[in-house]
Amino acid sequence: MKLLKISAVMMAISLLIKVSGLFREVVIGKYFGVSEVLDQYVLASLFPIILASSLASSINIVGIKHISKAGEAKKQSTELFNSLIFLSLILSSAALITGLILYASGAVSLPVFLLFLIMLPSVTFFVFNGYFKSLLHYHNRFYLSNFVALPYNLLIILFAILFNWSDQHIYFLAAGTALGVLFQTLWLYAAARKHGLFQIAGFRIKGNNTLAILRLVPFVVAGSIILPVNLVFDRVLATYYGEGSISLINYANNLIAIPLGLIITNIFSVYFPLLARLIQRRKNKTITKIISKSYKYLLYLSVAMLFALPFVEPVLRLLFYRGEFRAEEIQQLAKIVIYYFPLVIGMCLYEIISRIFYMKGDKKSIYLLILLITFANLIFSFFFSVFLNIYGLPLGTGLAFLLVSWLFLNHYKKASAV
C-alpha cells in the first residue's frame, strides 16, 4: 500500500512536469514550427540529449544494483561515483571525436556540428544525474528527484522566448538545453546532500572495483537506450520524407513521452527495488502473479487509449496552431502520434521483462531481446512505410516493442511456472 501511495504521488508530480514539457514543445513549435533549422537542432541533440538522457536511466539501474549488492551502501556509492567520473570522460571524448569525424567527412553540416558542441557537456551532466538518482531511489527518496525535469523545461522555454529576436535563435535554444541539463544535475545533487546521502570523495581508480562496475554499464545501457535508439532510427528514416519530417517525428516522440513517463517511469521507478528483492529471493510465483496482473491492467489501458484517439487532433490544434505551425502539419503530427500509441503498451511489457533480466544478470536474454526488437523495428518500419509513408515508422516501432516483449514475457512466465 505504501508503494502504491508513492506511485500515486509521483504520478501527480509527473503530471505537472509533463505539462511543463508539453508547454516547452508548444513554445518551440510557435517559434520554429516544422522547419529545416529545427531538424538541425534535433540531429545535433541525438547523442548529447536524447541518448545520454537514457544513459542516465541506465546508470540509475546500475547504481541501485551495485549499491544494494554488498549491503555497504556508503562504500559502494563512493566506488560508483569514482567509476562514473572515468565513464563520463570516456563518453565525452568518444562523442567529441565522433562529431569531429562526421563534420570533417561532410556527413553533418557546420550548424549541426556547432549545435552539437554546445550541447556536448550534457553527456557528463547526465552521467551524474543517473548517479544521484540511484542514491535517492535506493534510500526511498523519490519525490525531489521526480521534479528534476522542471528546471530543464523552464530554461528551454525561457531561452526560446527571450532570444526569438536573434538570427542565432536556434543556438540560444541549444544553450538553454545544455543549461537545463546542468540544473538537473545541481537539483539532484542538492537533494542528495539534503538527505545526507552524498559526500565528495577523491577520485581514484585502483582498488575500487571500477572495472567491475563499468562492465555492468554496457549491459544495462543496451537495455535502457533501446527505445531512444529505435526512435533515432525513426528520425533518420524520416529524412527520406522531405524537409520538416524530422521535426514532426521529434514532436511526436516528445508528445508520446507524456503517457510513457506518467505510466512507466513512475511505476517502475518505485517497483524496481521491490522486483529486485523478489528476484534475489527467487520468489518466482509472486513474479508470475505480477505478470498476470499486468496483462489485465494493460488491457484497461488499451481500451482507455482507444477512447482518447478521436481527441488527439483537436487537442494538438488547440495547443500548436499558432506562429510557424500550419494546419496541415498539425494533421500530420496528430496521425503520427496516433500511430505511436501501440508503443505505450509495448514499452510497459518491455520494462517488466527487461528489469527481470537486469536483476537476474541474464545478459544473453537482454541482448537477444534488444536485437530482436531492433531487427523487428527495421523490418516493420520499412514494410509499413511502403503503404503508409512516414506514418509507417511509428507503427513499426510500436508493434516491434509490443510483439517481441510479449513473446519474451510469456516465455519467462511459462519457464517460471515449471
Side-chain angles (χ1 to χ4, degrees):
M1 187 57 116
K2 182 179 178 181
L3 290 178
L4 186 62
K5 180 182 177 182
I6 293 174
S7 292
V9 173
M10 286 184 66
M11 194 168 292
I13 294 172
S14 279
L15 183 59
L16 172 64
I17 302 301
K18 293 302 178 183
V19 168
S20 72
L22 180 60
F23 185 50
R24 179 197 70 209
E25 294 304 307
V26 170
V27 170
I28 291 174
K30 177 182 178 181
Y31 292 113
F32 297 99
V34 177
S35 60
E36 182 182 2
V37 69
L38 188 62
D39 286 355
Q40 293 171 345
Y41 168 81
V42 173
L43 286 174
S45 68
L46 288 181
F47 180 76
I49 302 299
I50 296 169
L51 294 181
S53 62
S54 295
L55 175 67
S57 299
S58 65
I59 289 172
N60 179 21
I61 296 170
V62 170
I64 291 175
K65 181 178 175 63
H66 180 72
I67 293 170
S68 63
K69 187 175 181 180
E72 300 177 9
K74 188 173 182 179
K75 176 185 175 184
Q76 300 298 323
S77 64
T78 300
E79 289 185 353
L80 183 63
F81 176 74
N82 286 326
S83 300
L84 292 181
I85 294 175
F86 186 59
L87 178 64
S88 68
L89 292 173
I90 294 173
L91 291 175
S92 298
S93 300
L96 179 58
I97 292 170
T98 303
L100 286 169
I101 292 172
L102 290 174
Y103 173 62
S105 65
V108 298
S109 64
L110 179 60
V112 171
F113 182 63
L114 292 177
L115 289 166
F116 167 78
L117 289 180
I118 292 170
M119 292 183 280
L120 182 59
S122 301
V123 176
T124 299
F125 303 150
F126 275 124
V127 167
F128 289 102
N129 287 354
Y131 168 74
F132 290 126
K133 274 193 173 183
S134 67
L135 284 180
L136 291 163
H137 289 181
Y138 178 76
H139 292 90
N140 294 321
R141 309 290 184 179
F142 296 101
Y143 299 148
L144 280 175
S145 65
N146 214 39
F147 273 109
V148 72
L150 190 59
Y152 173 79
N153 291 332
L154 293 179
L155 272 168
I156 293 177
I157 292 168
L158 184 64
F159 274 61
I161 294 173
L162 288 182
F163 297 101
N164 69 85
W165 52 267
S166 173
D167 293 337
Q168 309 301 320
H169 193 185
I170 196 68
Y171 296 102
F172 285 109
L173 184 68
T177 303
L179 284 175
V181 183
L182 171 61
F183 269 78
Q184 284 185 322
T185 307
L186 296 175
W187 184 290
L188 291 167
Y189 166 77
R193 286 299 298 267
K194 176 183 178 182
H195 295 294
L197 305 178
F198 174 73
Q199 293 180 346
I200 296 177
F203 174 54
R204 59 187 178 87
I205 295 177
K206 185 177 179 180
N208 70 347
N209 290 328
T210 293
L211 294 179
I213 295 169
L214 294 180
R215 277 196 292 267
L216 285 172
V217 174
F219 164 51
V220 181
V221 166
S224 294
I225 69 171
I226 183 65
L227 176 61
V229 164
N230 278 274
L231 294 181
V232 165
F233 287 160
D234 290 354
R235 290 174 172 90
V236 172
L237 293 173
T239 58
Y240 294 100
Y241 296 96
E243 180 183 318
S245 297
I246 300 174
S247 301
L248 281 171
I249 290 289
N250 187 65
Y251 280 121
N253 290 167
N254 291 332
L255 289 170
I256 205 67
I258 295 174
L260 284 174
L262 287 174
I263 297 165
I264 294 173
T265 304
N266 294 296
I267 294 174
F268 287 105
S269 293
V270 174
Y271 279 88
F272 178 52
L274 171 63
L275 189 62
R277 294 185 187 99
L278 290 174
I279 291 172
Q280 287 177 347
R281 296 169 187 171
R282 298 182 180 179
K283 300 287 186 178
N284 289 332
K285 290 184 178 180
T286 305
I287 296 172
T288 302
K289 288 180 180 178
I290 291 174
I291 294 173
S292 297
K293 286 184 178 180
S294 70
Y295 286 157
K296 182 175 68 174
Y297 295 141
L298 290 176
L299 177 62
Y300 297 154
L301 178 61
S302 301
V303 173
M305 287 196 302
L306 287 176
F307 282 106
L309 295 183
F311 301 99
V312 172
E313 185 175 338
V315 170
L316 293 183
R317 189 176 298 276
L318 177 65
L319 292 172
F320 286 94
Y321 194 27
R322 60 180 58 82
E324 297 296 321
F325 237 110
R326 296 187 292 270
E328 61 271 21
E329 292 165 348
I330 291 175
Q331 291 177 344
Q332 289 177 294
L333 177 59
K335 289 183 69 174
I336 293 173
V337 169
I338 289 171
Y339 278 113
Y340 264 127
F341 267 58
L343 182 63
V344 178
I345 306 299
M347 275 304 296
C348 288
L349 295 174
Y350 174 78
E351 286 292 335
I352 296 171
I353 189 62
S354 64
R355 289 178 188 249
I356 290 173
F357 290 153
Y358 292 150
M359 294 312 302
K360 291 176 71 69
D362 191 348
K363 297 182 181 180
K364 181 179 178 181
S365 293
I366 195 70
Y367 287 138
L368 182 60
L369 174 64
I370 292 164
L371 287 174
L372 287 177
I373 286 177
T374 305
F375 179 73
N377 180 28
L378 291 174
I379 296 298
F380 289 167
S381 294
F382 277 117
F383 176 77
F384 287 112
S385 63
V386 171
F387 303 98
L388 300 171
N389 293 320
I390 193 173
Y391 310 111
L393 303 180
L395 182 61
T397 302
L399 291 179
F401 275 88
L402 184 59
L403 178 61
V404 177
S405 299
W406 180 79
L407 290 172
F408 268 76
L409 199 55
N410 264 9
H411 175 74
Y412 178 83
K413 182 181 175 182
K414 290 176 182 178
S416 299
V418 175

